[in-house]
Amino acid sequence: MTGPTPKNIANKDWFNNPALVRVLDLLNGDGGETRIVGGAVRNALMGLAIQDVDLATTLLPAETQARAEAASIKSVPTGIAHGTVTLVVDGQPFEVTTLRRDVSTDGRHAEVAFGTDWQADAERRDFTINALYADRDGHVVDMVEGLKDIETRTIRFIGDAATRIAEDHLRSLRFFRFFAYYGSGRPDADGLRAVARAKDKLSTLSAERIWAETKKLLTATDPSRALLWMRQTGVLTEILPETEKWGIDSIHGVVAAETALGWKPDPLLRLASIVPVDAPRLAEMAKRLRMANAEAARLESWATAPVLPDEVTDVGFDRILYRAGRDGLVMRLKLAMASVRANAEGDPVAMRKAARLSVLLKRAENFEKPVFPLSGGDVIAAGMEPGPKVGALLAELETLWVERNFSLDRAALTARLAEMVDKAD
């Protein structure tokens, strides 16, 4: 980003969104003042896409709700204890939070008091770039030198870094996540010292919060610089001890491959590149972080997927896909491609290997697992008594079907089944 940061955002299309205009007009005037705050202002100033639009107001939550009701606008008390009411206009949600200050905090939860002091509200936030406001006319209001930090892409805690972290220990992780998304150069020195000293406090947070924040960080366009500094401060080992004796350099190849090949940034793939391929240990990690069942299953399928032979035919690969499943092999292929591509320049052998991996990856991504035409009921109907032999016979038929490249239809398999049952008698 070059040039001075603009001080007015009224010309932005999103700012003139009729739904937002309606909310701003509703909550300004008659003794109330409401401003846009946080991410929408930050991203607008940095030329980035706007996601959610949050608002800060001097109105108490009850007054916000009353004004919404009078204007036939739906209001939802999403965080009423902390002053947040969500107004929904034309299907678009706007979180409106009353100005507040922290009365007490234990590093995880805060007790707040509502007020009308914009300076106090700004100073209780985490980073300077997140504490910028825009008033009804689009004028940017900066009380914490956030505009300067946006120009230099500096992620800096507001006031004393240690104090901000003590208010919410998750801010140690947010420091690195925001650095990954918006930072440049070397992280703020005071921030680095503060997160290093407070790293042991991360253990007081819920696993869900830690994993959610880590996953957001791993979704950044390039999280490698943030991960490097997380390792330097000991934070990475604190939340992901699996990485302690495992290099994190492999993530560079994954990010480069994603960029070059158009892969969507994949936090689990990136995580897989910095942890050992150890199914039991990964299962423990998934349990500790309380990952979703689908996430844990995907990591397990990757860790237990077979290592592909150097030479494998398309048909042979389909058989492997049928037995091992697609998800784990897709991850293995992508990680292998990333590794080969990172060292392939000028090496014709590596280039050929990368090309072959690309073919296999496409085949894996398009693979639809065929359905075996028979069931245990068919074996019993053919005359086999219920029992262990039913499963064994069915498995033998399935193996034959796989070896014949899934080409035997139900009729052919039923005929073979009849022969096998007769022999068994």
Side-chain angles (χ1 to χ4, degrees), residues 159-181:
D160 179 62
T163 300
R164 296 287 81 76
I165 292 171
E167 293 165 350
D168 183 353
H169 300 310
L170 190 67
R171 286 174 173 170
S172 289
L173 292 186
R174 284 171 61 84
F175 177 74
F176 292 109
R177 195 245 294 184
F178 277 85
F179 178 74
Y181 279 85

Side-chain angles (χ1 to χ4, degrees), residues 341-364:
R341 284 178 54 86
N343 302 290
E345 187 174 354
D347 183 343
V349 175
M351 293 292 288
R352 286 195 296 272
K353 185 174 182 179
R356 179 54 180 161
L357 288 169
S358 179
V359 171
L360 292 176
L361 176 61
K362 185 175 182 179
R363 193 173 188 88

Side-chain angles (χ1 to χ4, degrees), residues 319-383:
R319 294 173 186 168
I320 295 172
L321 282 166
Y322 179 82
R323 294 297 189 188
R326 178 176 60 185
D327 289 349
L329 283 166
V330 165
M331 287 184 71
R332 276 198 181 265
L333 286 166
K334 284 190 171 182
L335 290 172
M337 280 188 67
S339 176
V340 171
R341 284 178 54 86
N343 302 290
E345 187 174 354
D347 183 343
V349 175
M351 293 292 288
R352 286 195 296 272
K353 185 174 182 179
R356 179 54 180 161
L357 288 169
S358 179
V359 171
L360 292 176
L361 176 61
K362 185 175 182 179
R363 193 173 188 88
E365 289 177 329
N366 293 328
F367 181 76
E368 293 292 339
K369 185 175 181 179
V371 178
F372 182 51
L374 299 184
S375 67
D378 294 312
V379 179
I380 294 172

Side-chain angles (χ1 to χ4, degrees), residues 200-254:
D200 60 316
K201 298 297 184 181
L202 289 167
S203 62
T204 66
L205 298 173
S206 71
E208 291 88 348
R209 292 185 79 195
I210 290 176
W211 172 234
E213 194 65 32
T214 303
K215 187 160 61 171
K216 289 177 183 177
L217 186 152
L218 288 170
T219 308
T221 300
D222 185 355
S224 58
R225 292 181 304 124
L227 289 172
L228 173 63
W229 288 106
M230 288 174 73
R231 166 159 281 187
Q232 296 281 10
T233 55
V235 168
L236 187 62
T237 300
E238 190 71 28
I239 62 169
L240 287 173
E242 294 79 9
T243 66
E244 184 174 10
K245 295 180 180 179
W246 198 262
I248 61 173
D249 290 344
S250 295
I251 199 169
H252 294 293
V254 173

